[in-house]
Amino acid sequence: MNIAKNMEALFVSAAILVGATTIAVAAVPQSHAPVAAVAGEAAAATHMQTVVIVGKRLSAAEKAAL
């Protein structure tokens, strides 16, 4: 019986959290929407660093020795 009460409390709190999040996201003014799009374009234009590791592959004999 106690588990059912806890599950009900978890469900109700999750529903409240989802509702509050929905209201908060819907309340963003339209004037802020283009700013987010420009920031996304700026982030896409930056160069991403990559790491290249160069090394020889082990032969079958070397793998067997390990």
Side-chain angles (χ1 to χ4, degrees):
M1 187 69 175
N2 196 13
I3 294 175
K5 288 181 183 179
N6 290 336
M7 293 301 284
E8 181 183 0
L10 284 172
F11 176 76
V12 170
S13 61
I16 290 171
L17 183 64
V18 167
T21 304
T22 303
I23 291 171
V25 170
V28 175
Q30 291 294 349
S31 62
H32 293 312
V35 174
V38 171
E41 291 173 5
T46 60
H47 179 68
M48 182 181 296
Q49 295 181 350
T50 58
V51 177
V52 178
I53 300 172
V54 180
K56 67 173 192 165
R57 292 183 167 248
L58 296 176
S59 67
E62 291 172 333
K63 287 182 185 177
L66 294 176

